[in-house]
């Protein structure tokens, strides 16, 4: 028995290696063919003046061909069939995973791609009425379903398992049409369609190779090989070309086919794929699918035509904020990779599939909210109209939060400044001592896009995010502008404090700096707290920064604020490590886009995952309950009375 099992493993390993080599051959053939064909397409387009003038191009006066996608389907066919024939030759037709059924499926898929290609070329040249587009897309979707591929299992999503063909087939047709429409708009930005399509095809290719799914892994690798030359010309200045409607439709159709095929729960499915393959399937194109879903929801909410073009897509907002085409493509490409990796981790840890989808939607809505908020703030700054003055503080639930905190000089009387974010909000609900510390803060500043989102939604007021690192920088600049002063750092290791002080002496030589490293423990003894207080008071700083992570730092400050001799006290947690350089803060472009949480999650997944994927949904639910209250201000009065 052991010999038989080992023999089976060895055969499977050899089969996977052969599959990988043949897929690599298909990749190389597709790349070579596309490099040969694209220059001819550009030449013919210029010769016959088949141009398109983009609305958001970096070079808007340049006439650019948009027929790059006419080569996609032919290149896939010409690279796919020779590679598949090679695979059959290597395996002697005896161990093909799917047999004749896979050939008939692929032939039907090619038949479905041809009308999309022809309709796309017509649309690129003379335009096509939207009704004709819908009919062609539905016909292609029906051909896909007739190949035997349709969604027949949701793996527990919203409690739904297996689907009958009566439900699964119409659902698949609608999904294919939806994917075709969602991916269509990725061609509006240089490289976006190619990058997102390449990421999706690469992900599917890796999974299909590992599952020894020969025909479809070859197709995925052919797509990747075909897209690389296209991206080269798409990013080119002198020989730029767009994929156009023909390219976006055929590419998204092939990706939709692989996604649906991979999602199917059939007798041929491998053991790994039984672990909720639909999660990987939706992840590969989640960014354009979500964006289209959001746009449709907004149009329904405002009673606008569903299929009328506007500038409400994410790429429009990024371009309007001043991002270049390459920066926009990079940002959305990184977002797509993060979604795929994150969902893969959650799947391997057996997180409920419904929670995974809700977390995906919640985080993407959070990102879009902050993005649109920044756009609205810029529009307000450029507006000539006089707007109402924004209040200094806004009541959100039990907390009074500063809206536009600034510091011209260090307060003369003792002032405690703390930050609040979704995680601290949720933690405080189960930790009364922590909640009391937040409520007793003299100033509470918003550190997190979730708080900004909740304030805008519930109170209809703008608010500026101020992270602990930004607050720290503001205080240092204030001390320098006022002619110098003293600052004391309480917390972190001695090594971190030494690096921090060394940098401060270099950047702020006029400041007097002191520090103390307390023992690393969750609760301090009375003697340890007295030693910490004595060290601070002996230095008598103007500003005391406490870095012990939340909620320990806030609770310690609140318990000993009357014993501390400092004019301003603030808990800033991880800022000690950021400023010392022992931990890098996320890059500025991520901070600007409201993605600082994502950068920290990538760097510290074990520490940050609970904050983002448990506390954030709970915070959003708290905001929903708060929204349902008729009078939001009554909550703070309840706490004051208690």
């Amino acid at each position: 028995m052991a010999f038989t099992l080992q023999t089976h493993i060895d055969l499977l390993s050899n089969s996977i290696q052969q599959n990988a080599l043949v897929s690599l051959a298909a990749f190389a053939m597709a790349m070579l063919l596309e490099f040969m064909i694209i220059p001819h397409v550009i030449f013919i387009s210029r010769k016959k003046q088949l141009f398109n003038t983009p609305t958001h191009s970096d070079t808007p006066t340049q006439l650019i061909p948009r027929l790059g996608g006419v080569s996609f389907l032919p290149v896939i066919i010409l690279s796919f069939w020779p590679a598949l024939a090679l695979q059959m030759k290597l395996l002697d037709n005896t161990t093909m995973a799917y047999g004749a059924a896979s050939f008939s499926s692929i032939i039907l898929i090619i038949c479905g791609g041809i009308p999309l290609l022809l309709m796309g070329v017509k649309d690129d040249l003379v335009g096509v009425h939207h009704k004709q587009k819908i009919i062609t897309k539905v016909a292609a979707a029906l051909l896909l379903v007739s190949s035997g591929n349709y969604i027949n299992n949701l793996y527990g999503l919203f409690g739904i398992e297996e689907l009958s063909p009566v439900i699964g087939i119409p659902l698949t047709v609608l999904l294919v049409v939806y994917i075709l429409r969602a991916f269509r708009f990725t061609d509006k930005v240089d490289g976006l369609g190619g990058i997102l399509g390449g990421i999706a095809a690469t992900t599917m290719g890796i999974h299909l190779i590992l599952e020894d799914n020969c025909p479809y892994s070859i197709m995925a690798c052919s797509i990747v090989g075909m897209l690389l030359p296209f991206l080269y010309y798409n990013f080119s200045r002198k020989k730029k070309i767009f994929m156009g409607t023909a390219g976006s439709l055929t590419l998204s159709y092939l990706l939709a086919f692989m996604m649906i095929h991979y999602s199917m729960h059939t007798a041929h499915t491998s053991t790994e794929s039984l672990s909720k393959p639909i999660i990987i399937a939706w992840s590969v194109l989640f960014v354009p699918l979500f964006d289209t879903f959001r746009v449709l929801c907004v149009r329904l909410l405002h009673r606008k035509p569903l299929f009328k073009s506007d500038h409400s897509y994410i790429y429009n907002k990024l371009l309007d904020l001043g991002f270049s085409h390459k920066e926009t493509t990079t940002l959305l490409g990184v977002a797509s990779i993060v979604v795929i990796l994150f969902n893969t981790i959650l799947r391997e840890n057996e997180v409920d599939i419904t929670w995974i989808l809700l977390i995906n939607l919640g985080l993407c809505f959070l990102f879009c909210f902050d993005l649109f908020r920044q756009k609205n703030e810029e529009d307000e700054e450029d507006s000539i109209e006089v707007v109402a003055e924004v209040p200094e503080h806004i009541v959100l639930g039990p907390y009074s939060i500063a809206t536009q905190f600034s510091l011209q000089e260090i307060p003369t009387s003792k002032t405690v400044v703390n930050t609040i974010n979704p995680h601290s909000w949720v933690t405080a609900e189960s930790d009364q001592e922590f909640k009391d510390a937040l409520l007793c803060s003299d100033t509470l500043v918003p550190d997190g896009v979730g708080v900004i989102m909740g304030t805008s939604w519930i109170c209809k007021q703008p608010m500026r995010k101020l992270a602990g690192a930004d607050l720290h920088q503001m205080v240092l600049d204030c001390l320098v502008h006022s002619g110098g002063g003293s600052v004391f750092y309480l917390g972190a290791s001695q090594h971190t404090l030494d690096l921090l002080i060394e940098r401060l002496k270099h950047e702020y030589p006029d400041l007097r700096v002191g520090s103390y490293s307390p023992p690393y423990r969750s609760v301090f003894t009375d003697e340890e707290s007295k030693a910490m207080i004595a060290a601070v008071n002996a230095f008598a700083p103007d500003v005391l920064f406490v870095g012990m992570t939340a909620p320990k730092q806030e609770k310690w400050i609140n318990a000993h604020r009357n014993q501390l001799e400092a004019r301003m006290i603030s808990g800033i947690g991880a800022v000690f490590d950021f400023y010392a350089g022992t931990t890098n803060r996320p890059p500025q472009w991520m901070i600007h886009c409201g993605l600082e949480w994502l950068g920290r999650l990538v760097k510290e997944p074990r520490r940050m995952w609970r904050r983002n994927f448990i506390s954030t949904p709970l915070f959003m639910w708290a905001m929903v309950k708060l929204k349902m209250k008729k009078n939001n201000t009554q909550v703070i009065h309840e706490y004051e009375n208690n």
Side-chain angles (χ1 to χ4, degrees):
M1 181 66 181
F3 173 78
T4 304
L5 179 60
Q6 185 62 44
T7 303
H8 176 73
I9 293 173
D10 292 340
L11 288 174
L12 182 60
S13 177
N14 292 334
S15 178
I16 291 176
Q17 292 176 10
Q18 290 177 348
N19 189 7
L21 290 175
V22 173
S23 298
L24 183 61
F27 167 84
M29 284 188 286
M31 186 165 59
L32 178 62
L33 288 170
E34 188 71 10
F35 265 124
M36 293 172 59
I37 294 174
I38 283 285
H40 295 287
V41 175
I42 297 174
F43 174 78
I44 294 173
S45 298
R46 291 179 175 176
K47 190 74 173 179
K48 298 298 181 180
Q49 297 185 354
L50 306 176
F51 296 117
N52 171 59
T53 304
T55 56
H56 282 289
S57 176
D58 290 335
T59 55
T61 59
Q62 181 183 1
L63 296 174
I64 302 173
R66 58 179 304 178
L67 293 176
V70 299
S71 62
F72 285 5
L73 190 59
V75 167
I76 295 298
I77 295 172
L78 292 174
S79 59
F80 171 79
W81 287 113
L84 188 60
L86 176 62
Q87 178 75 341
M88 293 176 64
K89 184 68 174 177
L90 290 173
L91 297 178
D92 295 326
N93 297 330
T94 58
T95 57
M96 290 295 293
Y98 288 86
S102 63
F103 294 102
S104 60
S105 297
I106 292 169
I107 290 173
L108 287 169
I109 293 304
I110 293 174
C111 292
I114 291 174
L116 289 175
L117 172 63
L118 297 176
M119 189 266 289
V121 172
K122 180 180 178 182
D123 186 46
D124 289 330
L125 296 179
V126 297
V128 176
H129 194 271
H130 69 273
K131 291 183 179 179
Q132 184 178 347
K133 293 181 181 179
I134 292 294
I135 293 173
T136 307
K137 291 176 182 178
V138 171
L142 290 173
L143 283 169
L144 188 151
V145 170
S146 66
S147 69
N149 293 277
Y150 67 91
I151 299 175
N152 58 5
N153 199 312
L154 295 184
Y155 301 91
L157 182 63
F158 300 115
I160 303 172
E161 296 287 345
E162 293 186 4
L163 294 176
S164 68
V166 176
I167 298 175
I169 290 176
L171 177 63
T172 303
V173 172
L174 290 174
L175 179 61
V176 172
V177 174
Y178 178 73
I179 292 173
L180 294 176
R181 175 171 178 79
F183 201 81
R184 169 69 185 90
F185 298 98
T186 60
D187 192 41
K188 302 294 184 180
V189 178
D190 292 348
L192 182 58
I195 292 294
L196 294 181
I199 292 171
T202 301
T203 304
M204 295 305 304
I206 292 172
H207 282 84
L208 291 168
I209 288 174
L210 293 176
E211 292 188 5
D212 197 26
N213 190 331
C214 168
Y216 305 101
S217 63
I218 293 175
M219 179 178 289
C221 291
S222 296
I223 292 174
V224 178
M226 173 267 299
L227 285 174
L228 290 180
F230 166 75
L231 286 170
Y232 170 78
Y233 286 101
N234 189 218
F235 281 120
S236 174
R237 290 282 183 177
K238 297 180 180 180
K239 299 180 180 180
K240 182 183 290 293
I241 190 171
F242 296 144
M243 69 170 62
T245 305
S248 64
L249 287 179
T250 52
L251 176 58
S252 57
Y253 183 67
L254 294 174
L255 292 174
F257 164 64
M258 285 190 293
M259 290 166 59
I260 293 168
H261 171 78
Y262 186 73
S263 299
M264 291 183 63
H265 184 175
T266 68
H268 300 291
T269 319
S270 71
T271 303
E272 179 186 346
S273 101
L274 292 176
S275 179
K276 300 181 178 62
I278 196 173
I279 296 174
I280 301 300
W282 88 49
S283 300
V284 295
L285 286 180
F286 188 81
V287 170
L289 295 181
F290 165 80
D291 194 32
T292 301
F293 170 74
R294 179 192 57 78
V295 170
L296 292 176
C297 289
V298 171
R299 290 176 182 175
L300 282 173
L301 184 63
H302 293 88
R303 298 181 180 180
K304 294 182 179 180
L306 291 180
F307 303 107
K308 184 178 180 180
S309 299
D310 56 25
H311 285 76
S312 56
Y313 287 90
I314 290 180
Y315 72 86
N316 293 121
K317 303 301 180 181
L318 291 172
L319 293 173
D320 291 341
L321 283 170
F323 286 81
S324 68
H325 280 228
K326 290 183 179 180
E327 291 172 338
T328 300
T329 296
T330 301
L331 176 59
L332 296 180
V334 169
S336 182
I337 294 173
V338 169
V339 169
I340 294 170
L341 294 177
F342 172 64
N343 288 349
T344 300
I345 294 172
L346 292 184
R347 186 186 75 155
E348 294 301 321
N349 285 275
E350 299 183 354
V351 178
D352 183 76
I353 184 174
T354 304
W355 272 108
I356 295 177
L357 179 59
L358 293 177
I359 290 171
N360 286 180
L361 293 173
L363 294 177
C364 286
F365 270 118
L366 194 65
F367 166 67
C368 290
F369 174 86
D370 189 66
L371 185 66
F372 298 163
R373 177 187 61 82
Q374 293 185 53
K375 178 63 174 63
N376 293 334
E377 286 180 356
E378 290 193 358
D379 292 342
E380 290 175 2
E381 291 176 0
D382 296 336
S383 176
I384 303 178
E385 297 179 4
V386 178
V387 297
E389 184 178 354
V390 178
E392 293 184 357
H393 294 80
I394 289 178
V395 174
L396 186 66
Y399 306 107
S400 178
I401 306 175
T403 57
Q404 306 286 335
F405 182 76
S406 60
L407 202 62
Q408 304 300 325
E409 59 181 16
I410 302 301
T412 55
S413 60
K414 186 178 298 183
T415 302
V416 173
V417 180
N418 283 317
T419 62
I420 185 170
N421 54 43
H423 178 65
S424 57
W425 179 297
V426 171
T427 303
E429 290 302 305
S430 58
D431 188 338
Q432 187 60 45
E433 185 181 358
F434 182 36
K435 176 177 281 190
D436 292 339
L438 294 177
L439 291 171
C440 292
S441 302
D442 297 296
T443 300
L444 204 57
V445 297
D447 177 15
V449 294
V451 177
I452 305 297
M453 178 188 69
T455 304
S456 177
W457 185 42
I458 296 173
C459 304
K460 307 298 181 183
Q461 291 286 354
M463 180 178 285
R464 181 168 62 93
K465 174 178 175 288
L466 188 67
D470 302 319
L471 175 63
H472 175 251
Q473 189 66 50
M474 180 187 295
V475 171
L476 294 180
D477 292 340
C478 178
L479 287 170
V480 171
H481 292 157
S482 61
S486 57
V487 59
F488 194 91
Y489 292 85
L490 177 63
S493 66
Q494 190 59 51
H495 173 67
T496 299
L497 292 174
D498 291 341
L499 293 174
L500 187 150
I501 293 175
E502 182 180 353
R503 179 177 174 182
L504 280 169
K505 288 181 178 179
H506 176 71
E507 296 181 352
Y508 299 94
D510 295 333
L511 293 182
R512 191 168 63 93
V513 184
S515 67
Y516 183 85
S517 177
Y520 183 77
R521 62 179 82 251
S522 57
V523 179
F524 298 114
T525 64
D526 291 340
E527 290 74 15
E528 290 167 344
S529 292
K530 289 179 181 178
M532 294 156 63
I533 295 170
V536 173
N537 292 343
F539 192 80
D542 294 312
V543 179
L544 168 63
F545 286 121
V546 182
M548 304 174 185
T549 73
K552 182 169 67 174
Q553 61 192 15
E554 287 82 4
K555 292 193 285 188
W556 191 88
I557 292 172
N558 190 48
H560 303 286
R561 61 179 295 170
N562 293 331
Q563 301 168 266
L564 294 167
E565 296 179 5
R567 293 158 57 191
M568 178 177 174
I569 307 171
S570 181
I572 56 174
V575 178
F576 282 37
D577 293 308
F578 291 158
Y579 198 78
T582 54
T583 300
N584 292 326
R585 192 183 182 192
Q588 193 62 39
W589 67 267
M590 297 189 78
I591 299 172
H592 178 70
C593 294
L595 290 175
E596 184 171 6
W597 61 269
L598 179 58
R600 295 190 64 185
L601 174 65
V602 172
K603 291 178 179 295
E604 303 176 90
R606 291 188 177 181
R607 180 169 175 261
M608 303 301 297
W609 76 270
R610 185 176 296 275
R611 295 190 178 194
N612 291 285
F613 305 123
I614 294 181
S615 294
T616 297
L618 292 175
F619 174 79
M620 294 171 66
W621 175 238
M623 293 299 100
V624 171
K625 293 191 293 184
L626 201 59
K627 181 68 173 179
M628 292 188 293
K629 289 183 176 292
K630 293 183 179 179
N631 183 10
N632 179 45
T633 57
Q634 72 184 23
V635 183
I636 193 169
H637 296 317
E638 293 175 3
Y639 281 91
E640 289 175 350
N641 293 333
N642 292 334

